[in-house]
Structure formats: C-alpha cells, structure tokens
Amino acid sequence: MDVNAAVAAAAAIAGVLTGVIAMLAFRWSEREQKRPTRTSLHTDPVLPPGVDTVLSVLRSSAVVLDEADAVVKASSAAYALGLVRGGKLAVEPMLQMTRDTRRDGEIRQVELDLPRRGTGRGEALAVSARVAPLGSRLVLLLVEDLTEARRIEAVRRDFVANVSHELKTPVGALSLLSEAVMDASDDPEAVQRFAGRMQIEATRLTNLVQELIDLSRVQNDDPLEDAEPVRVDELVAEAIDRCRHQAGTKQITMAAGGTADLHVWGNRGQLAAALGNLVENAVNYSPARTRVGIAARRLSGSGGDMIELAVTDQGIGISDKDKERIFERFYRVDPARSRATGGTGLGLAIVKHVVASHGGEVTVWSAENQGSTFTLRLPEAGAARDRAQQHPDLNEEDGQSPTHDPTAYETLPAPEVLP
C-alpha cells in the first residue's frame, strides 16, 4: 500500500513538471515569433500609407531604399534604365546621394550622363536624379530621363544656327550690292547689272522665308483635319506646270504616265507642294536635253492599297554617303550647285514631313551620273479614310517594300510627253 502511494505521488509530480515545461516552451515560442529578425528588418519594411499608390502613377523612375541601402520598392522604369540590379542601386553617384540625404535629411538633385545599357557604343543616357527622405528610415530616389529633351534642344539649336547662316548670306549680298549701286550711280550698265543681282538675291531670300514658313506649317498642322480625296492626275499636272518654264529653258522633256484616275486622302495644298518640290529638284539638277518622268500606280497590301508616285530624272545622281542626309534641313549634296539653282536645302525636308504626316513614306534610289528616282507612297483615298475613322492614331505601313529602281515602271503605259 505504501508502495502504491509512492508511485502515485511520483506520477503526480511528473505530470506537474511536464505541464510546467510545456507552458514555458509555448511562451518562449510565442515570444520568439513576435521578435523581429534581421531578415524581416531589411526585406519587409512597411512603406508609409499611400506612397506605393503615388509611386505607381509617377512618370519618373522611382526607387525606395532602406537604411542598409537595400531596394525596398522600384518601378519597372528603374529596372529598364538599369538603375536597379540584384536588389541594389547600381549607380554609384545616386547611391552616394541617398546616403548623404539619409545622414542630414536634405533634398538633393543632380543631372548625370549614364552609359546606355546593352549597347556597345558610347551613347549616353541623360537623367536628372532627385533624392528626398521618406519617413525616418527610407529614402526616395526619383530619376527623370532627359535624353529626348536634350536631343530636341540640340536640333532646335542647330536649326536656329542654320537659319541665321542662311539668312545672313542673301542679306549680306543685298547690302554689298546696294553699296555697289550707289558707287556706280553714273554708270547705267553697272547699275543694271547690280540691280539684276539684287533681284536674284531678293528672290532667294523670299524663297527661303517662304520655305521656312511652309516647313513650320507642315510640322505644326494636322493635315488630316482638312483631308479630302485628291486626284493624283491633278497633282501631277500642277507639279509639271510649276516647272514648265525652267524645263523649257533647259530643253528638258517632262512626261507623265502610269495608272490613271487614282486618288489619295489628305491635304491638297501640302501634297501638291511635296510633289512639286520633287519635280522642281529633278529639273534643277538635270542637264539640258534630258528627261524627267512622273509615274503613278496602285500597290496592294494587307493594310490597304497604297498609291506610289515616282519622280525620275537623268541628272547628276546622289552618292551613297549623301543619301542618308538628303532629307535633313539645309543639307545640300552640292552647295555650289544649290546656290546656282537657288536651292535652300529645305525642299526635301518639307517633302518628308508632308508624307509622314499623311501616313506614308518617301524613299530614294540614285546612282551617280545615272539619275535619281524619288518615290512617294501614300494611302489611297478610300483605305486611308476608313483607317483614319477606325484608328485615328494608326500610322503603320503595310510591310510591302517600296520600289526604288526606275526600271520598275517600264511596264506602265507609255507616258504622255508634255511640251
């Protein structure tokens, strides 16, 4: 009996001890779960309320860093620019800015040139970086891409410089010629000669100012606001009539051919100016007693039918190194010849802008001393109108390669020779 009592007492004591140990273990486990770990401190910080939503709608690339310089939040644009790699800020100047701001709480801003990611060339990416404290532990970095803005500013600066140079030439010539007329007031023949030169320079100045106005208009206006079906035959006839006098002086034959009764959709005035510039260039840069042809035809494509207008000449041609630049403003293949013909270097730039704004393209085939063919491809009236109504912002090509070689028009009907 005493033995059984002793066993029971021992069992009771063991049960009590087991319960106490279990309770202590549970309390210790619960406390350990609530205790923040090193990993949770650096990988799961909490952003202030509303910050995540604000960052998601910003146009700038956004990066949030904690006190250990680890990236807490980064926008997709930040990854695309190569700012964040492997969970770290990869740009050392920006990283140093965040550390300085975390230390003293001051907002900092700087402009940097960064190497482009994935390119073997030394092209730079211009950015503006701004760092500000975000709460007591976090730092916010905002990065704005300034590359396109700088490119536009450079283009504008070059354009102003070129315009100033081009205007200075005829204005200076007029000033010198006026002094020569005054000095030769008692010599009627000299006065007449100088006055003739003044008329030439005044005409060149007028043409330059007019083409600057035309270029500004085609860049700023939307030609499809006043769009209408335009007969291609009428555009060709107007372009030929515009150059009839120059062609007659050089005994150049102008011919029109191809498919008749075609229509394009667009601004009639701008389309006439574009085609007229091409025909005028063909006449001016062709030797005497040669031929300038204008051919039109329809091209079928998955995106709709296109109208192709080709202007072919037998002139001096264009070298390979000049083909890439002939559509730049004020660029001249032969500056000396351009001065002789009164060219301003803006004609082809106007053509390019007009065609692009109408949803088409302009291409060139040329060989030195063999001639050139400039080809305009424009949406046909019906297809362009339907596409503009269904997709106002659509400006895609149908993928069909344009024809550059003038021999491609040999199968067209024989052109009518115009005197």
Side-chain angles (χ1 to χ4, degrees), residues 88-380:
K88 295 289 185 179
L89 186 61
V91 183
E92 183 60 32
M94 295 182 186
L95 186 59
Q96 186 59 46
M97 287 174 60
T98 61
R99 292 169 178 169
D100 294 340
T101 296
R102 186 184 300 112
R103 185 183 65 253
D104 56 26
E106 292 186 4
I107 298 175
R108 289 175 168 82
Q109 183 169 354
V110 66
E111 292 188 3
L112 301 170
D113 290 333
L114 307 178
R116 284 187 182 271
R117 194 177 176 188
T119 61
R121 301 186 299 271
E123 299 178 352
L125 188 70
V127 298
S128 174
R130 184 177 179 86
V131 180
L134 188 63
S136 59
R137 294 174 44 225
L138 305 179
V139 176
L140 173 63
L141 169 65
L142 296 177
V143 180
E144 188 77 24
D145 188 356
L146 304 178
T147 307
E148 184 64 16
R150 284 193 179 181
R151 187 193 67 81
I152 294 174
E153 181 60 30
V155 171
R156 183 183 295 111
R157 185 169 55 251
D158 292 342
F159 180 70
V160 171
N162 288 332
V163 168
S164 302
H165 175 74
E166 296 296 332
L167 289 174
K168 182 179 179 181
T169 302
V171 169
L174 286 173
S175 177
L176 292 175
L177 288 170
S178 63
E179 293 178 2
V181 169
M182 293 177 62
D183 294 338
S185 57
D186 55 348
D187 187 349
E189 292 184 0
V191 170
Q192 186 175 7
R193 183 172 67 256
F194 292 142
R197 288 296 307 167
M198 291 179 68
Q199 288 182 340
I200 294 174
E201 295 298 335
T203 301
R204 178 177 300 170
L205 181 60
T206 301
N207 292 339
L208 176 59
V209 172
Q210 184 59 50
E211 290 198 344
L212 286 171
I213 294 173
D214 293 341
L215 180 60
S216 176
R217 182 179 295 116
V218 300
Q219 286 180 319
N220 297 328
D221 293 348
D222 181 5
L224 300 184
E225 287 184 357
D226 302 321
E228 60 179 343
V230 181
R231 286 179 57 89
V232 174
D233 295 340
E234 294 179 358
L235 293 177
V236 173
E238 186 173 338
I240 290 177
D241 187 64
R242 168 179 169 176
C243 305
R244 192 182 300 274
H245 176 72
Q246 297 97 307
T249 302
K250 300 173 67 174
Q251 298 181 0
I252 292 176
T253 301
M254 291 193 294
T259 306
D261 199 26
L262 299 176
H263 294 77
V264 294
W265 181 258
N267 183 292
R268 176 186 174 82
Q270 291 191 13
L271 292 173
L275 184 60
N277 284 347
L278 291 182
V279 176
E280 186 175 10
N281 280 353
V283 172
N284 288 336
Y285 288 90
S286 293
R289 293 178 293 279
T290 55
R291 178 187 177 93
V292 171
I294 310 172
R297 65 174 181 176
R298 179 186 290 108
L299 294 177
S300 299
S302 58
D305 291 345
M306 304 288 286
I307 303 301
E308 189 172 87
L309 277 163
V311 179
T312 304
D313 63 59
Q314 298 171 314
I316 60 176
I318 304 170
S319 64
D320 292 336
K321 67 180 181 65
D322 290 319
K323 287 180 185 177
E324 299 297 327
R325 301 192 59 190
I326 56 175
F327 293 102
E328 295 180 11
R329 290 169 291 190
F330 296 111
Y331 185 79
R332 299 181 179 91
V333 174
D334 185 354
R337 189 178 182 91
S338 296
R339 285 193 296 270
T341 59
T344 62
L346 291 174
L348 292 180
I350 293 174
V351 173
K352 178 182 177 180
H353 282 288
V354 169
V355 175
S357 64
H358 282 75
E361 69 169 353
V362 55
T363 57
V364 58
W365 174 94
S366 185
E368 290 187 89
N369 301 318
Q370 296 185 30
S372 305
T373 296
F374 285 84
T375 304
L376 305 180
R377 297 177 70 239
L378 298 163
E380 193 174 17

